[in-house]
Amino acid sequence: MSFGGPQWPQEPQQHGQQQPYGQQPNPFPGAQAPQTPDWGALADASAAGRRRKRWLVIGGGALATLVVGAIVATAVVSSGKGDETAKNGSVTPTGSAAPSDSATPEPTFSSVAPPPPPNPKDFISNETKDKAPLSAEGLFPGKKLTMSGRAYKKGATSSTTNCASVTQGPLGSILKQNGCDRVIRATYVKDGVAITVGVAVFSTEAEALKAKAQAKGGVAPLAGSGVGEFCRATVCLRRSNSIGRYAYFTTAGFADGKKVTTADRPIYEASDDLATFAFNQIYARGRTQASAAAAAPGE
């Protein structure tokens, strides 16, 4: 089988008179013979049809390409709102993605380290910096205190510059020799236990440390405001400690005068609670003054 044109009929083989090419004998004498198809014209028409079909396919593909290109161009224009056209006709993105002629400045850092925050202990270690008001109510505020879930009721308070007058045993002379400026006291009671805490104030930390190391005897118990005399002519628990320019002392015993022994746990708990409370109150003075100094460094 061949492609590309109509099939040409084979020339008939007949005996006798040979017919012209492409013609058949007329089986009906006297009648006009039927018209034989023009096979050459048909071939030309078929070739022309194929050519038209090819041009239609090519033209349709070109048109489709133009349509797709137009759609892409429209999408680029639509998504590039706000873009700017460069001088050479190309589209240059704007905003954060666009290159900038000017370099972004680099952050600079100071090579000098910031000063450390003030140390609260510095403000309670020397009278030149420890300028906050000082009073019995300031150190021992309110009518009661609670430590470790144990509540104590406050009794009497006092403040004096005669440090030796509010002590027992050798402590008075020790305070005086080391330059004691003032003693502030407060008494607390809980379940038959009475405790007096006394805070001795010195000019420097060195004086307070020396007084603590030499301490003997104790701070005198403070009665009044509902608390009777205690720790007089009996055994009581006496302790001492210091922080900064403050030395603090506790005297704890039974309100009824009973002798204290090492087995009396409530006495030791009360002494620990009041000593911790005194420490916290003194340190709070330093923390408050350090915060104020940090907020106004130029003053």
Side-chain angles (χ1 to χ4, degrees), residues 93-176:
T94 60
S96 60
S100 175
D101 293 336
S102 60
T104 302
E106 294 293 333
T108 58
F109 301 94
S110 173
S111 60
V112 180
N119 185 348
K121 190 171 181 292
D122 292 342
F123 289 85
I124 55 174
S125 295
N126 195 297
E127 64 180 355
T128 59
K129 297 186 70 173
D130 190 8
K131 299 296 185 180
L134 182 61
S135 65
E137 184 60 29
L139 279 180
F140 309 109
K143 296 182 178 181
K144 65 178 180 179
L145 67 87
T146 301
M147 296 291 294
S148 302
R150 295 180 286 272
Y152 297 85
K153 180 181 177 181
K154 188 172 75 174
T157 61
S158 73
S159 177
T160 181
T161 57
N162 185 358
C163 299
S165 66
V166 293
T167 63
Q168 291 178 324
L171 183 61
S173 61
I174 293 172
L175 295 181
K176 184 177 180 179

Side-chain angles (χ1 to χ4, degrees), residues 35-52:
Q35 187 70 31
T36 301
D38 187 348
W39 298 107
L42 290 175
D44 292 340
S46 177
R50 288 195 303 276
R51 285 195 297 271
R52 285 195 301 271

